[in-house]
């Protein structure tokens, strides 16, 4: 798996885009945000931390992804 180096604004923007898309599908991942250790990494790999969610949210996310894949 290769990682793309991203600028600080890119990782924040990516996290917000994902938060918005999830919200549009009735899904909230409360811990979604920028992975701070990765953000501060000397290797320049910034990550979006998806965080934890309950079983109902995981099922809803799986349902939305299955529907999108079936299109």
């Amino acid at each position: 798996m290769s990682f793309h180096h991203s600028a600080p604004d890119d990782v924040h923007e990516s996290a917000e885009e994902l938060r918005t898309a999830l919200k549009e599908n009735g899904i909230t991942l409360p811990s979604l945000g920028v992975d701070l250790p990765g953000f501060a990494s000397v290797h320049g790999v910034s990550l979006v931390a998806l965080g934890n969610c309950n079983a109902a949210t995981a099922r809803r996310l799986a349902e939305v992804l299955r529907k999108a894949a079936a299109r």
Side-chain angles (χ1 to χ4, degrees), residues 1-49:
M1 175 189 312
S2 79
F3 290 99
H4 292 45
H5 298 289
S6 55
D9 291 342
D10 290 346
V11 71
H12 288 284
E13 185 176 316
S14 297
E16 286 308 311
E17 286 179 23
L18 180 56
R19 184 184 321 280
T20 299
L22 289 168
K23 186 176 180 179
E24 290 169 354
N25 285 281
I27 299 169
T28 300
L29 296 179
S31 301
L32 185 128
V34 175
D35 178 67
L36 295 179
F39 186 70
S41 169
V42 295
H43 302 292
V45 178
S46 298
L47 302 174
V48 174

